[in-house]
Amino acid sequence: MRNIIIAGNWKMHKTQAESQEFLQHFKPLVEETNPGREVVLCAPFTALGTMSQSLHGSRIRLGAQNIHWEEQGAYTGEISGAMLWEMGVQYVVVGHSERRQYFGETNETANLRVIAAQKQGLIPILCVGETKAQRDAGETESVIIQQIQRGLVNVDQTQLVIAYEPIWAIGTGDTCEAQEANRVIGVIRALLSHPDVTIQYGGSVKPDNIDEIMAQPEIDGALVGGASLDPQGFARIVNYQ
Ligand code: PGA
């Protein structure tokens, strides 16, 4: 059985105070949500401590947005698995396209981070996806295959989430057609050795398209950026029909 996981990726949004304000509104809206759906908030590092306290006893899980592959050391600005784990973090986003585009993340460094997360008992959410130019050039499959194969070297597929996020659909309002997302996710699934890996779709997921996205047989959840910042909107996404 594949788990359904709806995760919010707050990116560089929300102070501690703003995260508290969000939870105050959001928590009651997801109390009745089908228990078969995992609800995750991937918050900035600085909000994790206060959120962890407020989420004590809640069904909402905490996620982070990066992890370094070493356990400690001279890596200014990075964060270790133990530091996240101590904060009550259970999921961590790895290899997001913004990390790849702006901060030099590669398939190889993403792979090291996935392994480090698993070693710490955290579940990595490995992000893959093609650019508009790659899609237009007919390279979608080859790019995805490379990202998956290189990203998953020596990775335990029983403790893994993958997010298919076509880069041209992220933050643009230009959602990938649900059937096309379903098709590419099928391509990803065929590359995996474990049958029950949760594969999410991400890229301009909104309250008004989540029902169609989740109706697709290959899609096991969503990784939601902009629309996860608003408690009512994100609750509607979590409570998709
Ligand atoms: P978006 O971002 O929902 O704002 O398009 C998705 C993501 O980057 O994970």
Side-chain angles (χ1 to χ4, degrees):
M1 265 288 282
R2 281 146 38 193
N3 295 326
I4 301 290
I5 305 175
I6 309 288
N9 172 16
W10 281 356
K11 309 191 180 184
M12 198 172 72
H13 292 282
K14 295 200 192 291
T15 62
Q16 296 187 62
E18 288 163 347
S19 73
Q20 287 305 324
E21 160 110 29
F22 176 97
L23 288 182
Q24 218 181 331
H25 293 101
F26 182 68
K27 277 202 312 194
L29 299 175
V30 297
E31 246 159 41
E32 306 287 306
T33 300
N34 180 336
R37 295 179 194 174
E38 184 98 314
V39 183
V40 183
L41 289 169
C42 300
F45 299 136
T46 46
L48 293 174
T50 181
M51 287 180 73
S52 179
Q53 283 177 11
S54 319
L55 291 178
H56 194 76
S58 148
R59 53 94 40 89
I60 303 166
R61 306 274 173 245
L62 202 53
Q65 300 172 20
N66 198 9
I67 179 173
H68 195 263
W69 51 86
E70 292 293 345
E71 288 173 13
Q72 58 185 3
Y75 303 103
T76 302
E78 289 286 329
I79 196 143
S80 76
M83 293 168 186
L84 298 176
W85 188 82
E86 186 185 45
M87 290 288 194
V89 166
Q90 289 177 270
Y91 290 86
V92 60
V93 175
V94 171
H96 190 278
S97 63
E98 287 149 16
R99 302 290 323 166
R100 294 178 192 257
Q101 185 181 351
Y102 305 130
F103 303 102
E105 186 86 84
T106 63
N107 289 327
E108 286 66 36
T109 54
N111 172 247
L112 292 173
R113 294 184 207 274
V114 167
I115 293 170
Q118 292 187 333
K119 195 167 164 204
Q120 187 62 48
L122 308 176
I123 299 192
I125 303 175
L126 175 66
C127 302
V128 299
E130 79 287 357
T131 64
K132 179 83 171 72
Q134 288 164 336
R135 171 160 286 262
D136 291 347
E139 295 167 3
T140 299
E141 282 77 6
S142 61
V143 168
I144 301 288
I145 289 169
Q146 205 170 63
Q147 289 175 332
I148 292 289
Q149 286 178 341
R150 295 207 185 150
L152 295 186
V153 175
N154 296 325
V155 165
D156 172 6
Q157 294 188 10
T158 67
Q159 303 297 320
L160 173 71
V161 174
I162 292 173
Y164 169 55
E165 300 206 302
I167 295 169
W168 47 272
I170 294 178
T172 57
D174 192 9
T175 326
C176 183
E177 290 282 331
Q179 290 83 356
E180 173 59 10
N182 187 68
R183 185 188 72 78
V184 178
I185 288 176
V187 170
I188 294 172
R189 200 175 299 289
L191 297 168
L192 303 176
S193 54
H194 191 267
D196 290 339
V197 177
T198 295
I199 309 182
Q200 302 171 311
Y201 167 75
S204 297
V205 173
K206 301 277 184 276
D208 63 8
N209 59 26
I210 186 67
D211 298 341
E212 191 191 2
I213 290 166
M214 290 309 296
Q216 301 296 321
E218 294 288 355
I219 303 182
D220 307 323
L223 184 57
V224 186
S228 72
L229 297 172
D230 168 58
Q232 276 79 24
F234 190 49
R236 170 62 183 88
I237 290 173
V238 167
N239 293 314
Y240 69 86
Q241 308 293 304

